[in-house]
Amino acid sequence: MWPQIADELRRRIDVGRYAAGARFPAVVDLAAELDVAPSTIQKAVAALRAEGRLYTVLGQGSFVADVPAGDESE
């Protein structure tokens, strides 16, 4: 299930719903919105972090990285 959630979150970033530099929604908020367990969101967010799509600022949360179009697979 988490790969599909990661795909949806990736799509939202790509279309600008979550803009570069913007704070990413909290895990609990996304879990409620998408009607999945928080652990599912955590796995999807971890995948996006590993891809460089998100980054974390200690004590502040996750933020959308500035990833140029076409660089997602590099």
Side-chain angles (χ1 to χ4, degrees):
M1 169 63 89
W2 72 263
Q4 292 88 351
I5 298 298
D7 287 343
E8 172 60 19
L9 297 176
R10 227 179 262 111
R11 185 192 66 76
R12 291 179 181 193
I13 292 169
D14 290 344
V15 300
R17 181 165 176 187
Y18 306 133
R23 188 170 185 194
F24 201 67
V27 167
V28 293
D29 295 336
L30 285 171
E33 178 186 341
L34 297 172
D35 195 28
V36 295
S39 61
T40 302
I41 299 295
Q42 289 170 334
K43 289 176 185 176
V45 167
L48 295 178
R49 275 194 201 110
E51 294 171 11
R53 297 295 212 103
L54 298 176
Y55 63 93
T56 301
V57 177
L58 189 61
Q60 294 184 28
S62 295
F63 294 81
V64 179
D66 187 12
V67 179
D71 286 355
E72 294 86 4
S73 62
E74 291 182 13

